[in-house]
């Protein structure tokens, strides 16, 4: 796979970096990364009740800072962020990096950061081997068409199909920057004749004026990534996926 240097961020290229917690126990995480956090981030870290949640939060923030410093020559501790009313973060400092769009996701064992130099992006990661009441969740949250399509699959394959929908829908609401304030039933994910993933909107609004690009990738055998890019024109950006070492 091409490196970031060989495929820089541009109008045709978006980057996705991921990392696992292999070899990173609590003590090692704290030694390496706790000093990178700002005061508000450190306060949030300490508010988590369980150590596993603290570790996942710290791993996510470490990946974010290390990835962004890959594009702008500044120390990982120098980044400062703010969040909109729905919780989507953006860059405040350094000022010369505010043009970068990024989005984060985590699930136990894996974290990811998606980056573009011009397009809003969204990403979701899920462990597809975990147990969940897929039909119950889908009936409650998915669009009618998605739920009906899910029911056409065998019991053994419903979980995989559920996470196909879930990761795409999460990536889409994250790229819009409004999170779960967007009802998941307000849009449907479909595949066209070329097996390209499309979004069908069931509600009017400015979001219907954009072009949306979607892609999925399976990582480390049991993780599924859903990725979304908001575009002004109907192009197919190349998403370069690379692992970021955190040790």
């Amino acid at each position: 796979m091409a490196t970031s240097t060989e495929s820089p961020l541009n109008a045709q290229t978006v980057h996705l970096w991921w990392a696992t917690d292999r070899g990173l126990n609590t003590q090692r995480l704290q030694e390496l990364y706790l000093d990178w956090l700002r005061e508000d981030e450190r306060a949030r870290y300490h508010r988590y009740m369980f150590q596993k949640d603290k570790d996942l939060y710290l791993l996510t923030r470490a990946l974010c800072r290390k990835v962004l410093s890959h594009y702008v020559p500044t120390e990982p501790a120098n980044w400062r962020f703010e969040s909109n009313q729905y919780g989507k973060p953006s860059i405040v400092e350094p000022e010369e990096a505010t043009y970068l769009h990024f989005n984060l996701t985590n699930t136990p064992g894996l974290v990811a950061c998606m980056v573009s130099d011009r397009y809003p992006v969204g990403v979701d990661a899920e462990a597809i081997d975990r147990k969940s009441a897929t039909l119950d969740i889908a009936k409650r949250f998915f669009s009618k068409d998605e739920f009906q399509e899910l029911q056409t699959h065998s019991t053994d394959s419903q979980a995989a199909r559920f996470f196909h929908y879930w990761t795409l829908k999460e990536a889409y609401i994250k790229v819009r920057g409004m999170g779960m304030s967007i009802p998941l039933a307000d849009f449907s994910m479909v595949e066209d004749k070329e097996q390209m993933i499309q979004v069908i909107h069931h509600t009017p609004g400015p979001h219907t004026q954009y072009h949306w690009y979607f892609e999925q990738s399976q990582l480390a055998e049991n993780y599924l990534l859903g990725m979304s890019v908001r575009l002004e024109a109907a192009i197919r950006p190349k998403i370069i996926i690379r692992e970021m070492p955190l040790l």
Side-chain angles (χ1 to χ4, degrees):
M1 184 173 292
T3 66
S4 294
T5 302
E6 294 166 343
S7 298
L9 293 175
N10 54 43
Q12 299 293 330
T13 307
V14 175
H15 293 165
L16 186 289
W17 296 90
W18 63 279
T20 69
D21 60 359
R22 289 192 304 268
L24 289 167
N25 58 27
T26 296
Q27 180 179 349
R28 191 69 173 132
L29 279 167
Q30 291 176 339
E31 289 173 352
L32 288 170
Y33 302 127
L34 198 56
D35 287 343
W36 286 5
L37 301 189
R38 294 272 178 160
E39 184 177 346
D40 58 326
E41 293 172 308
R42 197 173 291 112
R44 181 175 176 182
Y45 169 85
H46 287 295
R47 282 198 299 270
Y48 284 105
M49 182 177 298
F50 301 106
Q51 188 61 50
K52 63 181 179 62
D53 297 323
K54 292 182 178 181
D55 291 347
L56 186 59
Y57 176 76
L58 184 54
L59 189 70
T60 307
R61 305 314 298 178
L63 177 69
C64 175
R65 290 170 174 276
K66 192 167 184 178
V67 164
L68 294 177
S69 290
H70 184 80
Y71 301 101
V72 176
T74 190
E75 292 298 315
N78 291 343
W79 293 92
R80 186 165 70 86
F81 309 96
E82 65 180 5
S83 298
N84 69 9
Q85 65 188 97
Y86 304 103
K88 184 174 184 178
S90 59
I91 297 166
V92 176
E93 293 179 355
E95 290 186 6
E96 65 269 24
T98 55
Y99 69 96
L100 289 171
H101 295 267
F102 74 98
N103 196 235
L104 303 169
T105 186
N106 60 40
T107 192
L110 182 132
V111 295
C113 179
M114 193 171 179
V115 187
S116 171
D117 67 349
R118 65 198 67 199
Y119 306 128
V121 294
V123 60
D124 183 58
E126 300 291 342
I128 56 179
D129 59 351
R130 65 182 174 88
K131 303 294 184 182
S132 61
T134 54
L135 279 182
D136 292 341
I137 296 173
K139 185 176 183 180
R140 182 180 177 186
F141 292 107
F142 286 8
S143 70
K144 180 180 178 181
D145 290 343
E146 289 169 334
F147 180 62
Q148 289 178 343
E149 197 278 337
L150 181 63
Q151 290 179 293
T152 67
H153 293 263
S154 67
T155 302
D156 291 340
S157 62
Q158 279 180 354
R161 190 62 175 173
F162 169 85
F163 286 115
H164 163 84
Y165 281 123
W166 187 266
T167 55
L168 290 171
K169 292 173 82 69
E170 283 282 317
Y172 173 71
I173 63 175
K174 291 178 73 177
V175 73
R176 285 182 58 185
M178 298 172 63
M180 292 301 288
S181 69
I182 303 173
L184 295 181
D186 279 4
F187 60 96
S188 297
M189 309 307 304
V190 300
E191 292 161 308
D192 63 20
K193 294 180 180 178
E194 298 179 355
Q195 298 301 301
M196 295 295 296
I197 302 166
Q198 307 285 343
V199 60
I200 304 298
H201 299 106
H202 305 311
T203 57
H207 54 279
T208 63
Q209 306 303 312
Y210 294 104
H211 296 271
W212 304 90
Y213 178 77
F214 298 93
E215 199 170 303
Q216 287 182 306
S217 180
Q218 191 164 330
L219 298 176
E221 298 184 1
N222 62 320
Y223 296 101
L224 182 65
L225 284 179
M227 297 163 281
S228 178
V229 185
R230 194 191 79 184
L231 303 161
E232 301 289 339
I235 64 171
R236 295 182 182 181
K238 184 177 183 180
I239 300 179
I240 304 295
I241 300 175
R242 296 201 66 212
E243 184 174 8
M244 173 67 78
L246 288 181
L247 277 176

PDB file of all heavy atoms in Angstrom, residues 128-143:
ATOM      1  N   ILE A 128     -17.012  -6.902  14.863  1.00  0.00           N
ATOM      2  CA  ILE A 128     -18.138  -7.619  14.268  1.00  0.00           C
ATOM      3  C   ILE A 128     -18.360  -8.996  14.872  1.00  0.00           C
ATOM      4  O   ILE A 128     -19.326  -9.681  14.519  1.00  0.00           O
ATOM      5  CB  ILE A 128     -17.969  -7.745  12.736  1.00  0.00           C
ATOM      6  CG1 ILE A 128     -16.638  -8.431  12.404  1.00  0.00           C
ATOM      7  CG2 ILE A 128     -18.036  -6.366  12.097  1.00  0.00           C
ATOM      8  CD1 ILE A 128     -16.411  -8.617  10.915  1.00  0.00           C
ATOM      9  N   ASP A 129     -17.501  -9.406  15.812  1.00  0.00           N
ATOM     10  CA  ASP A 129     -17.691 -10.704  16.445  1.00  0.00           C
ATOM     11  C   ASP A 129     -18.410 -10.594  17.787  1.00  0.00           C
ATOM     12  O   ASP A 129     -18.620 -11.587  18.473  1.00  0.00           O
ATOM     13  CB  ASP A 129     -16.357 -11.418  16.633  1.00  0.00           C
ATOM     14  CG  ASP A 129     -15.368 -10.618  17.478  1.00  0.00           C
ATOM     15  OD1 ASP A 129     -15.659  -9.432  17.777  1.00  0.00           O
ATOM     16  OD2 ASP A 129     -14.308 -11.164  17.822  1.00  0.00           O
ATOM     17  N   ARG A 130     -18.810  -9.376  18.152  1.00  0.00           N
ATOM     18  CA  ARG A 130     -19.501  -9.228  19.436  1.00  0.00           C
ATOM     19  C   ARG A 130     -20.982  -9.582  19.285  1.00  0.00           C
ATOM     20  O   ARG A 130     -21.569  -9.455  18.217  1.00  0.00           O
ATOM     21  CB  ARG A 130     -19.345  -7.811  19.989  1.00  0.00           C
ATOM     22  CG  ARG A 130     -19.994  -6.708  19.164  1.00  0.00           C
ATOM     23  CD  ARG A 130     -19.716  -5.357  19.817  1.00  0.00           C
ATOM     24  NE  ARG A 130     -20.175  -4.239  19.013  1.00  0.00           N
ATOM     25  CZ  ARG A 130     -21.398  -3.732  19.073  1.00  0.00           C
ATOM     26  NH1 ARG A 130     -22.294  -4.263  19.902  1.00  0.00           N
ATOM     27  NH2 ARG A 130     -21.747  -2.699  18.312  1.00  0.00           N
ATOM     28  N   LYS A 131     -21.553 -10.023  20.363  1.00  0.00           N
ATOM     29  CA  LYS A 131     -22.950 -10.426  20.367  1.00  0.00           C
ATOM     30  C   LYS A 131     -23.843  -9.201  20.545  1.00  0.00           C
ATOM     31  O   LYS A 131     -23.570  -8.331  21.353  1.00  0.00           O
ATOM     32  CB  LYS A 131     -23.218 -11.417  21.505  1.00  0.00           C
ATOM     33  CG  LYS A 131     -22.346 -12.663  21.463  1.00  0.00           C
ATOM     34  CD  LYS A 131     -22.648 -13.525  20.248  1.00  0.00           C
ATOM     35  CE  LYS A 131     -21.823 -14.815  20.272  1.00  0.00           C
ATOM     36  NZ  LYS A 131     -22.062 -15.638  19.074  1.00  0.00           N
ATOM     37  N   SER A 132     -24.900  -9.140  19.775  1.00  0.00           N
ATOM     38  CA  SER A 132     -25.865  -8.057  19.937  1.00  0.00           C
ATOM     39  C   SER A 132     -27.203  -8.500  19.368  1.00  0.00           C
ATOM     40  O   SER A 132     -27.265  -9.359  18.487  1.00  0.00           O
ATOM     41  CB  SER A 132     -25.386  -6.780  19.226  1.00  0.00           C
ATOM     42  OG  SER A 132     -25.238  -7.007  17.837  1.00  0.00           O
ATOM     43  N   ALA A 133     -28.254  -7.897  19.887  1.00  0.00           N
ATOM     44  CA  ALA A 133     -29.613  -8.224  19.411  1.00  0.00           C
ATOM     45  C   ALA A 133     -29.857  -7.426  18.131  1.00  0.00           C
ATOM     46  O   ALA A 133     -30.543  -6.394  18.139  1.00  0.00           O
ATOM     47  CB  ALA A 133     -30.634  -7.895  20.484  1.00  0.00           C
ATOM     48  N   THR A 134     -29.290  -7.904  17.025  1.00  0.00           N
ATOM     49  CA  THR A 134     -29.247  -7.108  15.798  1.00  0.00           C
ATOM     50  C   THR A 134     -30.632  -6.751  15.268  1.00  0.00           C
ATOM     51  O   THR A 134     -30.876  -5.605  14.891  1.00  0.00           O
ATOM     52  CB  THR A 134     -28.459  -7.853  14.715  1.00  0.00           C
ATOM     53  OG1 THR A 134     -29.010  -9.162  14.528  1.00  0.00           O
ATOM     54  CG2 THR A 134     -26.992  -7.982  15.113  1.00  0.00           C
ATOM     55  N   LEU A 135     -31.545  -7.703  15.230  1.00  0.00           N
ATOM     56  CA  LEU A 135     -32.867  -7.410  14.682  1.00  0.00           C
ATOM     57  C   LEU A 135     -33.631  -6.422  15.554  1.00  0.00           C
ATOM     58  O   LEU A 135     -34.332  -5.539  15.041  1.00  0.00           O
ATOM     59  CB  LEU A 135     -33.668  -8.699  14.503  1.00  0.00           C
ATOM     60  CG  LEU A 135     -33.359  -9.528  13.243  1.00  0.00           C
ATOM     61  CD1 LEU A 135     -34.254 -10.753  13.183  1.00  0.00           C
ATOM     62  CD2 LEU A 135     -33.525  -8.688  11.977  1.00  0.00           C
ATOM     63  N   ASP A 136     -33.505  -6.570  16.863  1.00  0.00           N
ATOM     64  CA  ASP A 136     -34.192  -5.644  17.772  1.00  0.00           C
ATOM     65  C   ASP A 136     -33.673  -4.219  17.594  1.00  0.00           C
ATOM     66  O   ASP A 136     -34.455  -3.259  17.548  1.00  0.00           O
ATOM     67  CB  ASP A 136     -34.003  -6.091  19.224  1.00  0.00           C
ATOM     68  CG  ASP A 136     -34.731  -7.387  19.542  1.00  0.00           C
ATOM     69  OD1 ASP A 136     -35.658  -7.735  18.780  1.00  0.00           O
ATOM     70  OD2 ASP A 136     -34.376  -8.042  20.533  1.00  0.00           O
ATOM     71  N   ILE A 137     -32.356  -4.081  17.489  1.00  0.00           N
ATOM     72  CA  ILE A 137     -31.763  -2.755  17.300  1.00  0.00           C
ATOM     73  C   ILE A 137     -32.147  -2.192  15.943  1.00  0.00           C
ATOM     74  O   ILE A 137     -32.510  -1.015  15.816  1.00  0.00           O
ATOM     75  CB  ILE A 137     -30.232  -2.830  17.443  1.00  0.00           C
ATOM     76  CG1 ILE A 137     -29.860  -3.258  18.860  1.00  0.00           C
ATOM     77  CG2 ILE A 137     -29.598  -1.485  17.109  1.00  0.00           C
ATOM     78  CD1 ILE A 137     -28.388  -3.527  19.057  1.00  0.00           C
ATOM     79  N   ALA A 138     -32.077  -3.043  14.912  1.00  0.00           N
ATOM     80  CA  ALA A 138     -32.403  -2.581  13.556  1.00  0.00           C
ATOM     81  C   ALA A 138     -33.867  -2.149  13.457  1.00  0.00           C
ATOM     82  O   ALA A 138     -34.179  -1.140  12.813  1.00  0.00           O
ATOM     83  CB  ALA A 138     -32.103  -3.689  12.553  1.00  0.00           C
ATOM     84  N   LYS A 139     -34.753  -2.892  14.070  1.00  0.00           N
ATOM     85  CA  LYS A 139     -36.176  -2.542  14.013  1.00  0.00           C
ATOM     86  C   LYS A 139     -36.421  -1.190  14.671  1.00  0.00           C
ATOM     87  O   LYS A 139     -37.279  -0.408  14.225  1.00  0.00           O
ATOM     88  CB  LYS A 139     -37.001  -3.619  14.705  1.00  0.00           C
ATOM     89  CG  LYS A 139     -38.513  -3.388  14.586  1.00  0.00           C
ATOM     90  CD  LYS A 139     -39.283  -4.549  15.201  1.00  0.00           C
ATOM     91  CE  LYS A 139     -40.788  -4.339  15.020  1.00  0.00           C
ATOM     92  NZ  LYS A 139     -41.557  -5.473  15.607  1.00  0.00           N
ATOM     93  N   ARG A 140     -35.653  -0.895  15.693  1.00  0.00           N
ATOM     94  CA  ARG A 140     -35.832   0.352  16.438  1.00  0.00           C
ATOM     95  C   ARG A 140     -35.218   1.557  15.721  1.00  0.00           C
ATOM     96  O   ARG A 140     -35.784   2.648  15.752  1.00  0.00           O
ATOM     97  CB  ARG A 140     -35.223   0.211  17.830  1.00  0.00           C
ATOM     98  CG  ARG A 140     -35.396   1.438  18.710  1.00  0.00           C
ATOM     99  CD  ARG A 140     -34.764   1.210  20.073  1.00  0.00           C
ATOM    100  NE  ARG A 140     -34.848   2.408  20.907  1.00  0.00           N
ATOM    101  CZ  ARG A 140     -34.270   2.529  22.094  1.00  0.00           C
ATOM    102  NH1 ARG A 140     -33.555   1.519  22.589  1.00  0.00           N
ATOM    103  NH2 ARG A 140     -34.394   3.648  22.787  1.00  0.00           N
ATOM    104  N   PHE A 141     -34.051   1.339  15.056  1.00  0.00           N
ATOM    105  CA  PHE A 141     -33.287   2.480  14.557  1.00  0.00           C
ATOM    106  C   PHE A 141     -33.172   2.568  13.035  1.00  0.00           C
ATOM    107  O   PHE A 141     -33.001   3.675  12.502  1.00  0.00           O
ATOM    108  CB  PHE A 141     -31.875   2.466  15.149  1.00  0.00           C
ATOM    109  CG  PHE A 141     -31.832   2.729  16.623  1.00  0.00           C
ATOM    110  CD1 PHE A 141     -31.564   1.703  17.508  1.00  0.00           C
ATOM    111  CD2 PHE A 141     -32.074   3.994  17.129  1.00  0.00           C
ATOM    112  CE1 PHE A 141     -31.517   1.935  18.875  1.00  0.00           C
ATOM    113  CE2 PHE A 141     -32.030   4.241  18.494  1.00  0.00           C
ATOM    114  CZ  PHE A 141     -31.754   3.214  19.372  1.00  0.00           C
ATOM    115  N   PHE A 142     -33.209   1.441  12.319  1.00  0.00           N
ATOM    116  CA  PHE A 142     -32.966   1.478  10.885  1.00  0.00           C
ATOM    117  C   PHE A 142     -34.193   1.979  10.137  1.00  0.00           C
ATOM    118  O   PHE A 142     -35.308   2.007  10.673  1.00  0.00           O
ATOM    119  CB  PHE A 142     -32.590   0.094  10.366  1.00  0.00           C
ATOM    120  CG  PHE A 142     -31.188  -0.349  10.715  1.00  0.00           C
ATOM    121  CD1 PHE A 142     -30.388   0.386  11.575  1.00  0.00           C
ATOM    122  CD2 PHE A 142     -30.667  -1.511  10.179  1.00  0.00           C
ATOM    123  CE1 PHE A 142     -29.111  -0.027  11.898  1.00  0.00           C
ATOM    124  CE2 PHE A 142     -29.390  -1.930  10.486  1.00  0.00           C
ATOM    125  CZ  PHE A 142     -28.605  -1.193  11.349  1.00  0.00           C
ATOM    126  N   SER A 143     -33.979   2.349   8.876  1.00  0.00           N
ATOM    127  CA  SER A 143     -35.122   2.699   8.034  1.00  0.00           C
ATOM    128  C   SER A 143     -35.916   1.429   7.736  1.00  0.00           C
ATOM    129  O   SER A 143     -35.421   0.306   7.878  1.00  0.00           O
ATOM    130  CB  SER A 143     -34.647   3.326   6.730  1.00  0.00           C
ATOM    131  OG  SER A 143     -34.020   2.353   5.895  1.00  0.00           O
TER     132      SER A 143
END
